[in-house]
Amino acid sequence: PPTSQDAAKITPDMIQTASDIPAKWKQPQGNFDYVKRDVMIPMRDGVKLHTVIMMPKHAHDLPMLLERTPYNASGMASGNSPHMADAVWSGDKDWADGSTILVWQDIRGKYKSEGKYIMTRPPMGPLNPTRTDDTTDAWDTIDWLVKNIKASNGNVGMIGSSYDGWTVAMALLHPHPALKAAAPESPMIDGWMGDDWYHYGALRQVNLDYFSGQMSKAGEGESIPRENYDDYTNYLDAGSAGAYAEANGFKQLPWWKRFAAHPAYDAFWQLQALDTLLVAHPSSVPTMWLQGLWDQEDIYGAVHAWEALKKAGHGANNHLVMGPWWHSQINRDGWNMGPLKWPGNTTAQFRRNVMIPWFNHYLRGTPLPTPLPEAMIYNPVEQHWDSFSNWKPASEQQLTPLFLQADMGLGFEQPKGGSDSYVSDPAKPVPYLPRPIPQKNERWRTWLVQDQRFVESRPDVLSYSTAVLTTTVKLEGAPIADLFARTTGTDGDFVVKLIDVYPGSDPTDPAMGGYELPVSLDIFRGRYRHSFAEPAPIPANQVQEYKFRLPTVNYAFKPGHRIMVQIQSSLFPLYDRNPQTWVPNILFAKPADYRKATVTIEHGDNGRSAVLLPVAATR
Ligand code: PG9
């Protein structure tokens, strides 16, 4: 206990009874090269959207770059630094050189914005009977920015990847006149057909975490708790995707109810498909549609939006860019794609040499160093960008069938006949990565370039291969899988992979010896073979045609390599299992519905199965 002697030494300045936390803390910013403002921008219905504006100090006559996001606007400019380039997230660093005012906005109902959140809110119309959508919100935001940010030159660009790419595409449906250039990067365009939720009707069930992550809270939500480290086990144990979701509380999510009630491509999906909407409301805003060649999340969107616009006669202001990248990699370093190494940082080079000068041209009138071609697609084998002045939409491609042949062969000659069978067992689905497969981690980003030798020897995977090539086979476009198959079941999935088999040894890069690199692959749910809107059971033991487009490529199969086509009936747990027995809604298939089926792939008189290749040249 203190003595009276101690008490004599106590002065009042030693004592605090109020809080040590001041009512308001203000960081002196004398040495900052930017000014940051948080504002609430009113929309036409009175709802205010939280917006972060970062202005270079002494900004004057500068364009603005806007990103609208459900992923926390504050977090995109949260670096604790007096320097703008250090304070912004990686995707914006190249823009933070003092030349541009950067703006991020929380979309309705997320993080600090007011209003209600609706998953990829459909545009006003039958699915959205209100007076607002992400088109009007973008319009109102841009209108406010040009009227209130005095340091701006009145020109706005929009950028963003994935969901934020979707917000760019939504803004284009009725753009504010101040919107002068736009880059939807890996945008979600059609969540059913080939982006995040389904691919041709097969459910991407690992995205269930996204539902709870996005919608269990206005801020950062919760992912599904895991029983086991390996998701292969977790999803298998759950039975169906619907059982897994509902055991984890998804009935509380209104989106889940709408989602689960519309497993087919009915009006719910058709009316929000943005490629169709963009053609119905074409804009004249210069637009760069950008995505990765191995985009593991939204591989469908940009290329389909661009193709639809070009076909409808809007090629002049719309450009397609496909880099050798995983999803959203454009906003990070691009030295490599998994084991594939590039001669430089492909993303930084593209941003600095092409994208930013292109934006600058439209936002501040600087001359374009070189005109942006109609399409710019990286050639991952010859390791350079190719420019195309007339890149053909898939529907206009010339295609050359590469037929499945006897003895697991593959070749351009007419097949001599035959078929091959395998037993697809839903109890032992084919994994999409070597197990264990933990919840999305680094391997998720590069799974599309995973060496396919890990499944080649499975009895339920058919691997057809050409002889060693003596000439280069160059592909430019979208390969089409064209299978003729029968199954003992009444439903079934078909996975087709176009693979580049490397020579058995590579002295310069030994780990690539014999590598089986997927060049283009996808999955198709058999019930949709006649109609995506109206699924129908597969007649057991009858040959049916399954024809579906694979992701777009600009790829050269080189001499010394072989082309391989692998066929299988599952890709688990990324895609939910097909029970292989007809049920009205696979989401809620019961354990007894999952049955083994013998699948037979025809390559003779009953059907010449092939992958139809957009061969540009053999040399
Ligand atoms: N691929 C993610 C996504 C886009 C749109 C809707 C839902 C999810 C993303 O990375 O944002």
Side-chain angles (χ1 to χ4, degrees), residues 38 56 59 62 75 117 122 125 142 166 197 271 277 293 296 394 398 404 414 496 506 584:
D38 269 63
L62 297 185
Y117 176 72
I142 293 174
W166 174 88
W197 310 140
L271 293 175
L277 289 162
L293 285 162
Q296 83 283 9
Q398 295 271 0
L404 309 189
Q414 287 289 326
V496 174
D506 179 349

Side-chain angles (χ1 to χ4, degrees), residues 69-71 117 119-120 161-167 185-189 191 195-197 204 207 210-211 214 255 295-298 327-328 440 444:
T69 182
Y71 300 132
Y117 176 72
M119 169 61 74
T120 50
S161 178
S162 201
Y163 202 127
D164 304 9
W166 174 88
T167 66
E185 304 169 314
S186 303
M188 147 91 101
I189 293 291
D195 286 327
D196 289 280
W197 310 140
R204 292 163 69 82
N207 283 332
Y210 186 90
F211 294 179
Q214 191 73 348
W255 161 253
D295 192 312
Q296 83 283 9
E297 297 190 16
D298 295 298
H327 182 64
S328 296
K440 283 183 188 172
W444 165 244

Side-chain angles (χ1 to χ4, degrees), residues 39-44 47-53 64-69 103-108 113 133-149 152 156-158 171 174 176 178-179:
V39 292
M40 296 297 288
I41 299 184
M43 301 293 108
R44 61 192 64 187
V47 165
K48 296 197 186 71
L49 301 190
H50 171 244
T51 310
V52 180
I53 303 170
M64 295 181 276
L65 189 72
L66 168 65
E67 175 160 1
R68 304 191 63 252
T69 182
V103 184
W104 302 268
Q105 182 176 69
D106 290 322
I107 61 172
R108 275 174 191 253
S113 276
D133 56 18
D134 284 273
T135 308
T136 64
D137 284 351
W139 205 100
D140 293 348
T141 302
I142 293 174
D143 200 54
W144 187 95
L145 288 171
V146 292
K147 288 179 179 150
N148 290 278
I149 304 299
S152 97
V156 179
M158 271 192 86
H174 181 206
H176 190 285
L179 181 61

Side-chain angles (χ1 to χ4, degrees), residues 244-297:
Y244 189 57
E246 297 195 350
N248 283 288
F250 275 36
K251 277 191 175 159
Q252 300 164 76
L253 300 175
W255 161 253
W256 168 253
K257 291 189 199 153
R258 297 200 296 291
F259 185 89
H262 298 280
Y265 196 64
D266 61 12
F268 177 67
W269 296 106
Q270 290 167 23
L271 293 175
Q272 48 185 312
L274 262 174
D275 44 357
T276 316
L277 289 162
L278 286 156
V279 169
H281 307 274
S283 92
S284 55
V285 177
T287 304
M288 182 185 281
W289 296 94
L290 191 149
Q291 69 170 73
L293 285 162
W294 286 281
D295 192 312
Q296 83 283 9
E297 297 190 16

